[in-house]
Amino acid sequence: MQKRVDRLSALIDRFRIDASVLHAPLAGRAPSCVNLFLITEGMAEQASRPRWLVFRTGGAPAGGVSAPPEGDVAVAARVDLGGEGSPLAMALPAEVRVDLEDAPALAAVSTVLLEEVERPRCGGKAIVDRLCEIVVIRFLRHAIETGRAENGLIAGLGHPQIMLALVAMHEAPERRWKLEDLAGLCGMSRTAFATTFRDVVGRTPGAYLQDWRLGIARQEIGRGGSLKTVAGRVGFSSAAAFSRAFSRQFGHAPSACARAG
């Protein structure tokens, strides 16, 4: 039996999901930080149930507030998909709306989250925040499995062959990957792999690997990692080569990122 490939763990380990739930339903306008909404439906004599999940990655307009989605917003949360430049956030459309009747696994955990918000008990804040993180992970699974993106990372992770190369790069960014190595993992010729990867993900395998390495490096330097150690950890032959690539990618030296962190 073929081993099941975990398409999300390496991403989540590198770019951790953080969620904070607002207990009060929203009316009119939402703070700029709020980007996940659970919309309910139900008759007056029945318990409400989650019907729609709306997730936004585009942020609020310049005024700092945005209109909540139409419907009865029972749960609203601020969700961070891993900080600035997170590949998870960049891979999703500006807004995704999921009909929970079509996503039973996502609906199940959304129902538990709604119950905890509507009937808070001891430790409620910690519980609902963790539950919200699980909701987001199940949402990402659903996005991958249902092809919610036509191209990019989410589309690549949903492709039965290309996802094998993506997971390999995510799990071992320090490895000196060659095109034939990645093509072999996918059971494809070099030409077919390179063409399919570019068509599905939207960039070449080499460009994607470079972006992945530098995204990880920015995170680690911001957390206090030394330039030399981080450079080796993400596959650069020297600190100088890493610094040049980092500056080209982000428009500033790694030291600026360290100061900001």
Side-chain angles (χ1 to χ4, degrees):
M1 181 180 294
Q2 186 177 9
K3 181 181 177 182
R4 189 173 181 85
V5 177
D6 187 334
R7 293 173 283 185
L8 280 175
S9 285
L11 275 163
I12 295 169
D13 286 344
R14 300 284 190 179
F15 296 88
R16 292 194 175 276
I17 295 168
D18 180 68
S20 180
V21 173
L22 304 181
H23 289 257
L26 298 175
R29 310 191 91 184
S32 61
C33 63
V34 174
N35 57 348
L36 183 141
F37 306 87
L38 197 59
I39 300 170
T40 61
E41 68 174 12
M43 303 300 290
E45 66 274 11
Q46 299 174 337
S48 60
R49 65 188 180 98
R51 175 60 197 276
W52 297 92
L53 184 142
V54 177
F55 189 80
R56 294 173 174 170
T57 60
V65 294
S66 60
E70 291 185 6
D72 296 324
V73 177
V75 179
R78 176 203 59 78
V79 176
D80 183 350
L81 291 179
E84 184 182 0
S86 165
L88 285 171
M90 296 172 68
L92 292 166
E95 179 174 304
V96 181
R97 186 181 182 97
V98 179
D99 184 342
L100 293 174
E101 290 191 347
D102 297 331
L106 181 55
V109 70
S110 297
T111 298
V112 178
L113 172 60
L114 179 61
E115 290 172 353
E116 288 289 338
V117 169
E118 291 186 333
R119 293 185 289 277
R121 287 162 284 182
C122 295
K125 175 60 176 171
I127 290 173
V128 296
D129 288 349
R130 299 297 83 76
L131 279 170
C132 190
E133 291 170 9
I134 296 170
V135 166
V136 174
I137 293 170
R138 285 206 170 175
F139 160 74
L140 292 170
R141 281 185 191 170
H142 179 78
I144 292 169
E145 292 167 358
T146 57
R148 298 306 293 247
E150 294 183 1
N151 53 45
L153 176 58
I154 295 296
L157 290 172
H159 191 283
Q161 293 166 289
I162 296 303
M163 64 100 168
L164 298 171
L166 286 167
V167 170
M169 288 188 277
H170 292 165
E171 292 181 343
E174 75 286 352
R175 180 170 169 177
R176 294 178 181 272
W177 290 105
K178 297 179 180 178
L179 189 64
E180 54 264 35
D181 297 333
L182 296 169
L185 288 173
C186 299
M188 303 171 75
S189 70
R190 287 179 50 175
T191 301
F193 168 71
T195 301
T196 304
F197 191 102
R198 186 178 63 249
D199 289 345
V200 173
V201 180
R203 66 189 82 176
T204 66
Y208 181 85
L209 178 59
Q210 180 89 329
D211 289 349
W212 174 246
R213 286 170 167 171
L214 292 172
I216 294 170
R218 180 161 65 172
Q219 290 269 332
E220 295 197 3
I221 289 174
R223 294 169 184 154
S226 72
L227 191 149
K228 183 176 181 180
T229 300
V230 171
R233 193 174 292 161
V234 298
F236 284 85
S237 58
S238 68
F242 166 69
S243 185
R244 288 194 296 270
F246 190 100
S247 298
R248 284 195 301 269
Q249 181 83 350
F250 301 118
H252 57 76
S255 56
C257 184
R259 286 194 298 269

